[in-house]
Amino acid sequence: MSTTTPAVIDPRRERLVALGRRAAIRLGGGVLVLWAVATLTFFALRLMPGDPVLAILGGPSANPTPEAIEAARVEFGLDKPLAVQYLFYLGRLLQGDLGVSYSQHLPVTRVLVEQGGATLELTIAALALAWLLVLLLTVVTAGRGRVVGGIASLAETLSAALPHFWLGVVLLAVFAFGLRWFPPAGSDSVASLVLPAFSLAIPLAGFIAQVTRESLELTLEQPFVLTARTRGLSDLAVRFRHALRHALLPGVSLSGWAIGALISGAVVCEVIFSRKGIGRQLYQAVQAQDMPLVIGISLVVAAGYVLANILVDLLYQWIDPRQQEAAA
Amino acid sequence: MNSPILPLIPLCAALALLGCEKAEQHSAQSTTPQQGGTLVYATDREPTCLDPHVAGDMPQVFVAQQYLDSLVSMDSQGQIGPWLATRWEVSPDGLRYTFHLRRDVHFTDGTPFNAEAVKANLDHMANPKTQSSTAGGYIRQYRATKVIDPYTAEVTLATPYAAFLEVLAQGFLGIQSPTALLRSRDQNCESPVGSGPFKVVRWDRQNQVELVRNPDYNWAPPTAQHQGPAYVERIVWKFIQEPSVRFASLQAGEVDVIEALPPESHEAARRNPDVDLIIAQPPGNPTNGTFNLRRAPFDDTRVREAFVRSADVEGALKSVYFGEFPRAGGPLSMATPFYSGDFEHSQDYDPARAAKLLDEAGWTGRDSEGYRTRNGQRLRAVVLIGARTPPSELTLWEQVQATTRQAGLELVLDQMSDAQVTARQAAWDYDIRIGYWNTNTPDVLRIIFTSAFVQPAGVGGYHQNSSGYADPGYDALLDSALATQDAEQRRQHYFKAQQQAAAHYLQLTTYPQSTRLGIYKTAHGVRLEPSLAVTYLYDAWVNK
């Protein structure tokens, strides 16, 4: 913003340094979170009763010979003490090696690469769809008096409260089984993305719309809105071009949280709609006690969540310098 | 369920009840086979490895049946016939099998099929590194294969094993390219190579496996309905986990064939003119609850019979599975070779007899809740329910619980993780274990009830004989059944074995396992492989 001649200390540079420091601190915290996730998942899974070797060998229909059991035990390092296994595990993690999935017979990184795309596609589609719904609903109905606002607000609360699995099943029953507008299963076509994306987007839109509506209504009472109107702008133009910009911020910050929520919702949606993706993979990996895969997916999800929040945080600092001063 | 819900190898056969009738209708409406096109198949469970030698779970053999051939075939009567082996001799002591092989077969990677390939395959199944649960488990008697000449292989066994040819007919023991087997196990899991009518081209995890026709195929088994290459050009083998979604996809024509048709949809499928059903029972030991004979109360035969007699399984099946699943009363499923129907009614509901038996066994007291007691102890049995137990199975046991309660027996349904179930099973800490065992030989009676299988199979403490039954006479009976190749003698031995298992009430048998296909009007000629109730698409074609 400052375009004046440079002073002794360039305020812009100072601001960048402060931002960098803040980013470093947040990143350090993120690494700690990831370490905690890896450790908790490791011990939670290992402390579950039962022998992971039998989980590895054929699952539900195993008839393993003693030799096969022993071979698997040595192959996966399960013959060593738990503490040693943990240290080995952390060492490999630091080198970026997530290990080999027991149940998939594949390196965990490859599973993540193969399945991650579909989940990313679903979450991005759901987030975009959620924002579309938010804009349609809030911009059109905010500040239109008690009745309209009340009904819209009720709709938002209701949709925010809908569980993904229920919504998924209802959408399936109506639009796939009943009307047959969309395929009930699959992950290959855009048509198969529609229902899962809606079942994730509707509850999320409810949340975001609630905060956006509130700030939009406050904005519409500001004097500059009146100024804009007096210039003869149409009502919708005022809402979209002027008021919306000011009202978006709370919703944007909520979107950072939403990424985490969407991934947990993706577990349910991918199972219901038989889509590929890391959510369904996680569900199956937990059932099969496939530790490397469970930890790998948890780490990636946690990393995505941490990263999204750091970005939103920094974006905020950049957009609104007042917050930076307060923090300093 | 890690344990008793086990290997699975269907032999099918007496195809089923409604199955046969429906299948005939199906072939009547179909005209001449058409070449080309894509058949879309949807099933519930995705295999963890496409090579059926590794581990060995049912979803693997369903895919394997499309791209692998076996050494021998089995027809719907349980008779062994030629396939990749044209003929064979068995030594008088039953320890040496000499196979004479076809000379015109090659795998889809170009490797020729010969005696070396047979040796490489049997060695691969027996190698602990393969971690073969099913195939390896069935050939524990295997010693070595000697290559006599390029097209003659001599297999040596440690002990006589008359069921050897039967298990060789199972897709789990299908023959793969020895060149491909040289790769790492995980590579072979992903892109296995066989000599079958189709070959695996791509496995898109959690979505589908794609197979294409093998244009050179000219060695179909005698059980097949045509020779030469398969009719369909391509198979898309999809994984749709949710039963209702799978059935809806079939009704919408999005897929041509679905497997594991949910019982609640059978009626809707029959009413739908666009859909046909094939339902068949695989052979083996039917779905059951096996009693733990090692502790009270089921250490007493009278209490076991009383439990069986007080459980209204027929009534429960009617309400849980809409009458779609028949009652299994004997230790073997109807489709098993040497099955005898004599024991179907040894488990009929008879609460009066149950009460009399419990009185005789000394459970004469009653506590405040109305349960029977003996020496102040309540008559109580715990059944382990693992997390992957289907909800309908749980409901079935709840119904059993309600009827045994009337006899004064408390049945506790103990729900826990599958790993916990395995641990409890290893420690013999249960009264009833739910399970089934599909295999195309009555030798299953040896695996689930003889003393050799009471011992833990490995360090995990897993044991296949979850009843703990150990009777030298019974053991000898099953061993002598393996020592003879004479069908009539085998029949007699297996009859006695069924008789003894039934008389000792080692299990409450509930219903036979079943393969249930729904077929949309676009698909024709879909069959179940005669030796295993496994889908076989070689003779299938599509008309879209």
Side-chain angles (χ1 to χ4, degrees):
Chain A
M1 274 171 238
S2 82
T3 49
T4 50
T5 49
V8 185
I9 300 166
D10 180 357
R12 188 170 191 174
R13 189 187 156 82
E14 194 185 19
R15 209 172 139 205
L16 271 176
V17 170
L19 208 59
R21 196 183 305 129
R22 191 172 171 86
I25 293 170
R26 292 299 305 262
L27 274 176
V31 169
L32 274 182
V33 169
L34 293 183
W35 170 72
V37 168
T39 305
L40 278 176
T41 336
F42 180 88
F43 284 102
L45 286 169
R46 285 317 304 275
L47 294 180
M48 269 165 71
D51 189 341
V53 170
L54 295 173
I56 296 167
L57 288 178
S61 57
N63 177 20
T65 61
E67 294 81 13
I69 289 177
E70 203 41 51
R73 197 174 290 284
V74 172
E75 180 180 332
F76 293 101
L78 295 166
D79 51 342
K80 304 202 172 56
L82 195 60
V84 176
Q85 290 182 39
Y86 172 66
L87 289 179
F88 271 139
Y89 178 73
L90 276 192
R92 283 200 304 268
L93 266 192
L94 286 177
Q95 297 163 28
D97 177 6
L98 291 170
V100 175
S101 155
Y102 304 153
S103 65
Q104 301 289 304
H105 298 281
L106 284 179
V108 170
T109 39
R110 212 186 115 190
V111 177
L112 290 170
V113 169
E114 283 180 6
Q115 304 293 328
T119 303
L120 202 63
E121 196 178 70
L122 177 60
T123 36
I124 290 175
L127 193 61
L129 195 60
W131 269 107
L132 188 72
L133 293 174
V134 168
L135 294 183
L136 283 178
L137 194 67
T138 56
V139 175
V140 175
T141 62
R144 298 255 188 239
R146 287 201 155 197
V147 176
V148 175
I151 291 174
S153 168
L154 181 70
E156 285 154 13
T157 311
L158 275 180
S159 47
L162 289 178
H164 294 130
F165 66 87
W166 184 84
L167 193 57
V169 170
V170 169
L171 290 177
L172 258 184
V174 176
F175 297 102
F177 299 174
L179 298 171
R180 295 194 183 163
W181 288 356
F182 299 102
S187 19
D188 299 322
S189 59
V190 178
S192 68
L193 184 62
V194 174
L195 294 181
F198 265 102
S199 70
L200 276 180
I202 291 173
L204 180 62
F207 276 111
I208 301 181
Q210 281 176 323
V211 293
T212 308
R213 164 181 310 282
E214 199 182 330
S215 71
L216 192 61
E217 281 178 346
L218 285 174
T219 310
L220 286 173
E221 290 163 13
Q222 299 293 314
F224 74 86
V225 171
L226 190 65
T227 315
R229 289 194 202 281
T230 54
R231 282 195 283 128
L233 282 177
S234 76
D235 181 53
L236 275 184
V238 169
R239 284 166 180 261
F240 274 103
R241 298 239 303 266
H242 294 271
L244 191 59
R245 282 191 192 180
H246 293 260
L248 278 184
L249 278 179
V252 168
S253 75
L254 201 57
S255 297
W257 160 83
I259 292 188
L262 281 175
I263 292 177
S264 69
V267 176
V268 175
C269 282
E270 286 168 3
V271 171
I272 293 177
F273 293 96
S274 306
R275 276 182 67 79
K276 57 189 280 190
I278 55 173
R280 180 146 76 110
Q281 191 75 77
L282 179 65
Y283 170 78
Q284 286 170 352
V286 169
Q287 280 191 325
Q289 278 191 284
D290 185 344
M291 200 171 57
L293 193 51
V294 172
I295 298 180
I297 295 175
S298 311
L299 279 179
V300 166
V301 171
Y305 192 44
V306 165
L307 211 64
N309 278 288
I310 292 177
L311 284 179
V312 167
D313 186 60
L314 296 180
L315 198 67
Y316 241 69
Q317 304 291 322
W318 188 249
I319 293 171
D320 190 349
R322 285 172 303 180
Q323 298 210 13
Q324 195 181 356
E325 277 154 25
Chain B
M1 287 101 274
N2 262 325
S3 9
I5 294 255
L6 276 181
L8 327 166
I9 299 95
L11 125 196
C12 144
L15 296 223
L17 327 154
L18 328 120
C20 285
E21 179 198 335
K22 269 289 190 178
E24 275 162 21
Q25 267 182 17
H26 202 252
S27 46
Q29 66 165 265
S30 41
T31 50
T32 43
Q34 291 188 8
Q35 295 283 339
T38 297
L39 188 146
V40 184
Y41 184 92
T43 183
D44 52 347
R45 288 199 293 151
E46 180 172 17
T48 51
C49 169
L50 296 183
D51 171 358
H53 296 177
V54 175
D57 198 359
M58 282 312 277
Q60 290 172 273
V61 79
F62 272 81
V63 182
Q65 202 68 55
Q66 320 312 322
Y67 76 87
L68 288 185
D69 293 325
S70 297
L71 218 44
V72 298
S73 61
M74 186 186 252
D75 68 16
S76 55
Q77 307 306 309
Q79 294 296 312
I80 299 297
W83 196 347
L84 293 183
T86 50
R87 61 193 171 86
W88 49 87
E89 294 105 36
V90 185
S91 69
D93 60 4
L95 295 179
R96 282 195 321 279
Y97 285 69
T98 309
F99 293 98
H100 302 275
L101 311 175
R102 279 186 81 124
R103 293 165 185 244
D104 58 344
V105 177
H106 59 265
F107 297 97
T108 50
D109 63 356
T111 309
F113 166 74
N114 53 30
E116 288 291 349
V118 173
K119 177 176 163 53
N121 272 273
L122 290 171
D123 287 352
H124 183 247
M125 294 172 218
N127 187 345
K129 289 207 177 81
T130 307
Q131 296 176 1
S132 180
S133 309
T134 302
Y138 284 140
I139 57 163
R140 282 189 195 189
Q141 295 85 345
Y142 175 71
R143 271 284 167 75
T145 305
K146 200 160 101 189
V147 177
I148 306 275
D149 67 52
Y151 295 102
T152 311
E154 183 189 271
V155 178
T156 314
L157 304 178
T159 53
Y161 186 34
F164 186 48
L165 292 173
E166 285 157 9
V167 297
L168 277 178
Q170 299 183 6
F172 279 118
L173 287 86
I175 303 296
Q176 304 180 43
S177 160
T179 316
L181 288 180
L182 289 176
R183 302 173 302 171
S184 75
R185 182 192 59 198
D186 293 353
Q187 269 180 298
N188 204 57
C189 273
E190 179 153 28
S191 55
V193 180
S195 58
F198 297 93
K199 62 179 177 184
V200 177
V201 287
R202 187 161 164 270
W203 180 8
D204 182 15
R205 307 260 174 164
Q206 296 206 101
N207 188 20
Q208 61 192 33
V209 175
E210 283 175 55
L211 302 110
V212 294
R213 171 162 67 182
N214 172 7
D216 302 340
Y217 194 68
N218 196 27
W219 38 86
T223 50
Q225 292 176 349
H226 79 289
Q227 287 292 322
Y231 298 125
V232 292
E233 178 57 44
R234 194 162 153 267
I235 300 172
V236 175
W237 194 277
K238 294 188 85 70
F239 307 107
I240 303 181
Q241 210 175 358
E242 280 296 307
S244 56
V245 174
R246 208 161 52 244
F247 184 58
S249 302
L250 181 77
Q251 286 185 306
E254 300 248 341
V255 301
D256 303 300
V257 180
I258 64 166
E259 185 191 318
L261 186 68
E264 63 272 21
S265 304
H266 284 192
E267 195 46 46
R270 280 193 206 101
R271 277 203 313 266
N272 187 333
D274 294 339
V275 172
D276 276 325
L277 274 74
I278 294 183
I279 300 174
Q281 296 177 17
N285 180 226
T287 322
N288 65 79
T290 301
F291 300 122
N292 178 4
L293 275 57
R294 290 195 154 195
R295 71 179 195 188
F298 291 141
D299 52 353
D300 185 334
T301 312
R302 290 171 299 191
V303 181
R304 295 198 296 272
E305 184 179 350
F307 179 84
V308 166
R309 298 295 193 174
S310 66
D312 182 9
V313 176
E314 288 87 348
L317 287 171
K318 262 194 203 97
S319 69
V320 178
Y321 295 112
F322 310 93
E324 298 291 343
F325 287 3
R327 173 77 199 268
L332 290 181
S333 293
M334 205 183 288
T336 321
F338 308 122
Y339 158 85
S340 164
D342 292 9
F343 313 105
E344 280 304 331
H345 294 286
S346 60
Q347 300 218 340
D348 285 0
Y349 181 50
D350 187 349
R353 180 164 169 78
K356 184 169 153 277
L357 285 164
L358 288 176
D359 287 342
E360 282 171 22
W363 294 93
T364 44
R366 290 278 180 171
D367 66 12
S368 55
E369 290 179 56
Y371 291 114
R372 284 178 181 263
T373 58
R374 187 177 67 180
N375 306 329
Q377 290 274 4
R378 178 184 283 184
L379 181 55
R380 183 171 181 273
V382 177
V383 54
L384 307 186
I385 309 274
R388 270 185 281 190
T389 307
S392 55
E393 182 76 29
L394 178 59
T395 316
L396 180 72
W397 282 88
E398 279 167 355
Q399 305 246 356
V400 169
Q401 183 185 43
T403 50
T404 54
R405 192 201 152 95
Q406 289 163 9
L409 189 145
E410 184 189 20
L411 180 63
V412 179
L413 308 183
D414 207 349
Q415 301 197 44
M416 60 190 76
S417 78
D418 291 313
Q420 266 173 302
V421 169
T422 312
R424 292 274 295 270
Q425 201 219 352
W428 294 92
D429 185 9
Y430 58 90
D431 297 304
I432 298 175
R433 278 294 287 117
I434 298 174
Y436 64 87
W437 194 309
N438 296 352
T439 179
N440 62 348
T441 162
D443 190 41
V444 66
L445 293 173
R446 185 174 61 93
I447 294 171
I448 57 172
F449 295 140
T450 64
S451 59
F453 293 85
V454 167
Q455 297 309 318
V459 270
Y462 172 82
H463 41 84
Q464 286 103 329
N465 176 354
S466 53
S467 69
Y469 185 60
D471 177 74
Y474 182 83
D475 294 355
L477 190 59
L478 272 294
D479 284 342
S480 46
L482 284 184
T484 175
Q485 299 282 333
D486 180 78
E488 203 36 54
Q489 279 190 37
R490 290 183 76 195
R491 179 180 305 283
Q492 283 169 20
H493 289 311
Y494 285 125
F495 178 81
K496 284 187 195 149
Q498 290 172 72
Q499 190 173 41
Q500 185 163 346
H504 284 82
Y505 290 89
L506 304 176
Q507 300 177 323
L508 170 70
T509 44
T510 48
Y511 58 91
Q513 287 287 304
S514 52
T515 299
R516 306 180 306 278
L517 301 185
I519 299 167
Y520 196 63
K521 61 182 175 187
T522 45
H524 308 273
V526 176
R527 297 196 298 119
L528 296 179
E529 206 280 332
S531 75
L532 321 162
V534 167
T535 310
Y536 189 50
L537 298 176
Y538 169 59
D539 291 320
W541 75 94
V542 287
N543 187 357
K544 297 189 190 180

